[in-house]
């Protein structure tokens, strides 16, 4: 979750005294040359950057003050999820598997952002997620094979409509990531 107050700390510049001070400090550290120029210096700049992130399915607003941003998940948190997301909803769960020839960086994160728009809550890690809303649950599991570089996406849904919505999200992502090929569906 990315809170509005933290947005000025993501890109060099800063619009508050605290965020401006942070970027001044960062420029004097070991990797300071990476932050030599400001990216955003006013509210309009940050709004444009946020619009770009929304448009590329990198973040999604979930309340008046919060955004979901799976790509910003800290490394130490990437494998941690509530164990309940691993449990199927019930015996009538619809399961679907798709194998892709590979996966570009950010593919699963973008799928989570697109899918989250239809749900009220999401618990996620770098390779799994559970989305909840209106008494329904969707589970997503993503695994990239280190040897073959093939990517497997498994999704379990409570209804056929949820499954179709995930497939629609995937079609949009495959249009965005043009080189993805489906090997098994």
């Amino acid at each position: 979750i990315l809170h509005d107050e933290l947005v000025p700390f993501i890109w060099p510049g800063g619009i508050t005294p605290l965020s401006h001070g942070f970027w001044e400090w960062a420029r004097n550290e070991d990797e300071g040359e990476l932050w030599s120029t400001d990216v955003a210096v006013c509210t309009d700049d940050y709004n444009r950057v946020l619009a770009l992130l929304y448009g590329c399915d990198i973040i999604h607003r979930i309340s008046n003050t919060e955004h979901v941003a799976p790509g910003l998940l800290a490394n130490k948190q990437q494998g941690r999820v509530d164990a309940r997301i691993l449990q199927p909803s019930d015996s009538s769960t619809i399961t679907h598997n798709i194998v892709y020839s590979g996966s570009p960086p950010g593919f699963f994160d973008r799928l989570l952002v697109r899918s989250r728009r239809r749900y009220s809550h999401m618990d996620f890690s770098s390779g799994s997620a559970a989305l909840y809303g209106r008494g329904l649950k969707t589970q997503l599991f993503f695994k990239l094979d280190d040897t073959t570089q093939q990517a497997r996406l498994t999704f379990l849904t409570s209804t056929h409509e949820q499954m179709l919505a995930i497939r629609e999200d995937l079609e949009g992502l495959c249009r965005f990531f043009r080189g993805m090929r489906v090997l098994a569906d």
Side-chain angles (χ1 to χ4, degrees), residues 39-55:
V39 172
V41 294
C42 65
T43 302
D44 286 344
D45 289 346
Y46 281 98
N47 288 339
R48 280 191 289 279
V49 171
L50 287 173
L52 175 66
L53 295 176
Y54 289 130

Side-chain angles (χ1 to χ4, degrees), residues 135-151:
L136 302 174
K137 179 179 178 181
T138 292
Q139 296 165 282
L140 301 166
F141 301 97
F142 183 76
K143 176 74 174 140
L144 185 62
D145 186 296
D146 293 333
T147 305
T148 65
Q149 294 303 305
Q150 292 180 352

